[in-house]
Amino acid sequence: MNDDTPFIQFNNVSYRYDQQSPAVIRDIQLIIQRGDFVALIGQNGAGKTTAAKHINGILKPSSGQVLIEGRSTASYSRHEIARTIGYCYQNPDHQIFSTTVENEVEYGARALGYDSAKVKQQAELALDLVGLTARRKNHPSMLGRGERQRLAVASILAMGVSTLVVDEPTTGLDYAGVVRIMDLLASWNQTLNTTIVIITHDIPIVADYVPRTVLMGQGHILMDDSTGQVLQAFDLLRSASVRSPQVTRVAQRLNLLTDAVPVVTVSAFMLAFKQKLNESAFLAKEG
């Protein structure tokens, strides 16, 4: 493989669920490199989940190609892709079925044929990373919603993947749960160079955590840029029925927005506001 080969690449990818139905995604062009942290946003039906399911071969293109390290997913077996790319469903209960937390985390690694020592080692690491070591002998039904979400992620991590695709990681979680799961994802991205792709409607968490955002609408990619630039593209967001963060809308009304320093978080707003006050004070003094 050439060093310049993208890690994941969509080449004119379209997909329809059957020949009689219109395409759900159309002519998608997308590159995701190792270590990227990307959010897919857009209204229901925009094609986010359909596109994401092509990343690990759950779905195969009706036309076009998805390439992993230069090789078409059409030529990969499920086991091959599963060693590199893991997928966590929106509802963790759709992928949890073992009788203990420990068995659940070990299941995927065993299915991939790893030896017992490696299964145990990877399960221990995954349980520690998600903070569930003390719950290892519990039945998953005894866990809270946020803990089951972390368990689903741990079971994928134990398979040794370098890429994690997570569908709606914060759905049904309270604020503490949202912070816990997003801090975990951000930490793995930054310290382990894990490639993270999230599908979400939670725009504030995108603003707080995700460096790059892909906006989708009606099966197309409408914009692919830094999160700050995407969340300040008001007209485009409106056309996709997505609202920018409230703090960004307030900043727009106060004329605090610049292309150089996007205001999509509270901390960025406070800096922009203080700068505006300082400028006003300076102008008043000069006047």
Side-chain angles (χ1 to χ4, degrees):
M1 182 187 69
N2 189 300
D3 287 342
D4 296 329
T5 301
F7 177 40
I8 299 166
Q9 183 172 10
F10 285 59
N11 286 336
N12 297 314
V13 172
S14 297
Y15 182 81
R16 52 174 43 86
Y17 284 95
D18 58 66
Q19 292 301 314
Q20 287 70 46
S21 301
V24 182
I25 56 174
R26 303 174 183 87
D27 301 319
I28 296 294
Q29 298 269 34
L30 178 67
I31 288 176
I32 298 172
Q33 299 289 12
R34 283 194 181 277
D36 281 355
F37 192 171
V38 183
L40 303 182
I41 67 171
Q43 67 181 131
N44 289 335
K48 307 181 300 297
T49 296
T50 300
K53 285 182 176 179
H54 280 75
I55 293 174
N56 74 330
I58 293 175
L59 299 177
K60 302 293 174 67
S62 299
S63 61
Q65 282 187 314
V66 177
L67 307 174
I68 299 175
E69 297 181 320
R71 178 181 164 192
S72 171
T73 55
S75 69
Y76 279 89
S77 69
R78 284 283 181 86
H79 269 52
E80 285 179 296
I81 296 180
R83 290 176 182 270
T84 301
I85 300 171
Y87 190 99
C88 291
Y89 290 87
Q90 179 175 345
N91 186 342
D93 297 333
H94 289 168
Q95 64 189 91
I96 295 173
F97 52 86
S98 295
T99 55
T100 69
V101 167
E102 184 176 51
N103 288 343
E104 182 66 35
V105 175
E106 292 178 355
Y107 180 85
R110 292 191 190 282
L112 290 178
Y114 294 131
D115 63 61
S116 295
K118 186 171 184 178
V119 168
K120 291 292 184 184
Q121 180 185 37
Q122 293 187 171
E124 290 288 340
L125 175 61
L127 284 168
D128 181 59
L129 284 171
V130 302
L132 289 177
T133 301
R135 308 297 299 273
R136 64 191 311 147
K137 298 302 181 183
N138 292 145
H139 193 285
S141 64
M142 297 174 64
L143 304 182
R145 175 63 166 75
E147 290 174 317
R148 295 199 306 279
Q149 182 74 290
R150 285 186 276 134
L151 173 58
V153 171
S155 66
I156 299 298
L157 287 176
M159 295 164 67
V161 301
S162 62
T163 300
L164 196 58
V165 181
V166 190
D167 195 349
E168 298 289 358
T170 61
T171 298
L173 302 184
D174 60 14
Y175 179 73
V178 169
V179 170
R180 180 71 182 264
I181 193 69
M182 292 308 302
D183 280 352
L184 285 171
L185 295 178
S187 174
W188 297 329
N189 173 252
Q190 293 163 13
T191 63
L192 304 177
N193 202 38
T194 304
T195 306
I196 306 286
V197 179
I198 66 169
I199 307 150
T200 186
H201 290 89
D202 193 337
I203 301 304
I205 68 109
V206 173
D208 284 338
Y209 286 95
V210 187
R212 174 184 166 197
T213 295
V214 176
L215 173 65
M216 296 189 67
Q218 297 183 335
H220 296 282
I221 290 178
L222 304 178
M223 188 173 182
D224 178 359
D225 207 330
S226 69
T227 294
Q229 294 301 323
V230 173
L231 296 186
Q232 287 192 170
F234 296 102
D235 292 340
L236 199 56
L237 289 169
R238 192 177 301 112
S239 74
S241 299
V242 175
R243 298 192 78 187
S244 58
Q246 185 175 19
V247 69
T248 307
R249 300 195 302 275
V250 172
Q252 183 189 36
R253 288 180 175 273
L254 295 177
N255 198 29
L256 299 178
L257 299 182
T258 67
D259 289 335
V261 185
V263 179
V264 296
T265 64
V266 172
S267 59
F269 177 89
M270 294 304 297
L271 286 173
F273 188 69
K274 287 177 181 177
Q275 183 176 357
K276 189 79 169 181
L277 288 177
N278 290 338
E279 289 174 356
S280 298
F282 176 78
L283 291 173
K285 183 178 179 181
E286 287 292 301

